[in-house]
Amino acid sequence: MGHREDLLAGAKRCLIEKGYARTTARDIVAASGANLASIGYHYGSKEALLNAALVQVNAEWGAAVGEVVAASRDFEAAWTRVTELFAAQRELLVVTFEALAQAEHAPEIRAALASGLDAARACMAKAFLDNTTDDTHRAVGSFCLALLTGVMAQWLIDPATAPTAKDLTLAIRTIATR
C-alpha cells in the first residue's frame, strides 16, 4: 500500500478505537506509519481524511448488514442475524452514528450516505419481497432502514432492553392485524 491507502486504513482504525472527535492527526500517523505532512498532501486535512474513512466504514457496515439480510427471507431469522451483528461489530455501529452526526457539517458525508440509501432500501426489501411494485419495494426498504436505525440506537444505549427479533416480529404482526 502507498501512503494514501495507509492513511485511510489508519484513520479507519482510529475511528473505531477512538471515535471521530477524539482522533488527532498524530493518532492517524501513528496508526498508519505515514508522516504528518502526507495527510495534507493526500487528503488536504485531517477532517477530509476522517470523512473518507467514515464513508468507507459505513459502506462496510452496510455490506455486512446486506449480506445477513440477503441470507434469509424470513423476517425474524433475518433480524436475529442482524442483531447478532450488533454485538460482533459494536464499533461499526458507533461509527455509523458518528457519520450521521457529522453529515450535518460535512456535505461529502451527507452525499455518500444519501447515495447509499436507495441501494440499502433495495437490499432490505429484496430480502422480504418477491415481485412487487417499485413503490412497495421502496416503502418496505425504507421501513426496514428506519427499524434498523432505531434498533441500533436502542441497542447501543442498553443492549439488555433493546427489542429482539422476536419482539419486532410480534409488533409487526400485532400492528398488521389492527
Side-chain angles (χ1 to χ4, degrees):
M1 282 195 295
H3 278 236
R4 182 176 179 80
E5 296 82 15
D6 291 342
L7 286 167
L8 188 59
K12 286 168 52 178
R13 274 195 305 280
C14 288
L15 281 174
I16 289 169
E17 293 169 8
K18 295 178 145 277
Y20 189 97
R22 290 189 178 111
T23 296
T24 67
R26 292 192 189 285
D27 294 330
I28 297 169
V29 168
S32 69
N35 61 59
L36 201 55
S38 62
I39 293 175
Y41 177 78
H42 290 291
Y43 289 94
S45 69
K46 174 193 84 165
E47 288 76 19
L49 171 55
L50 284 174
N51 292 347
L54 269 177
V55 168
Q56 200 169 79
V57 168
N58 274 282
E60 291 168 9
W61 170 247
V65 171
E67 286 177 26
V68 165
V69 170
S72 176
R73 296 185 64 80
D74 173 73
F75 184 86
E76 188 169 337
W79 282 93
T80 296
R81 294 185 69 201
V82 167
T83 55
E84 288 169 352
L85 266 182
F86 293 174
Q89 300 187 13
R90 179 183 176 85
E91 299 87 4
L92 292 181
L93 269 69
V94 173
V95 172
T96 296
F97 278 91
E98 286 191 321
L100 294 173
Q102 292 301 319
E104 183 65 27
H105 308 289
E108 64 276 11
I109 292 175
R110 180 187 291 258
L113 292 174
S115 73
L117 285 177
D118 284 335
R121 285 183 190 110
C123 176
M124 296 295 270
K126 184 179 177 184
F128 304 112
L129 300 173
D130 291 320
N131 297 326
T132 59
T133 66
D134 287 343
D135 287 344
T136 301
H137 266 276
R138 181 174 168 74
V140 169
S142 295
F143 174 79
C144 287
L145 281 179
L147 192 58
L148 177 65
T149 305
V151 173
M152 283 170 44
Q154 291 180 59
W155 192 90
L156 282 171
I157 293 165
D158 186 4
T161 63
T164 65
K166 190 173 190 159
D167 295 333
L168 298 175
T169 304
L170 175 61
I172 288 175
R173 286 186 181 137
T174 303
I175 292 167
T177 59
R178 298 231 167 176

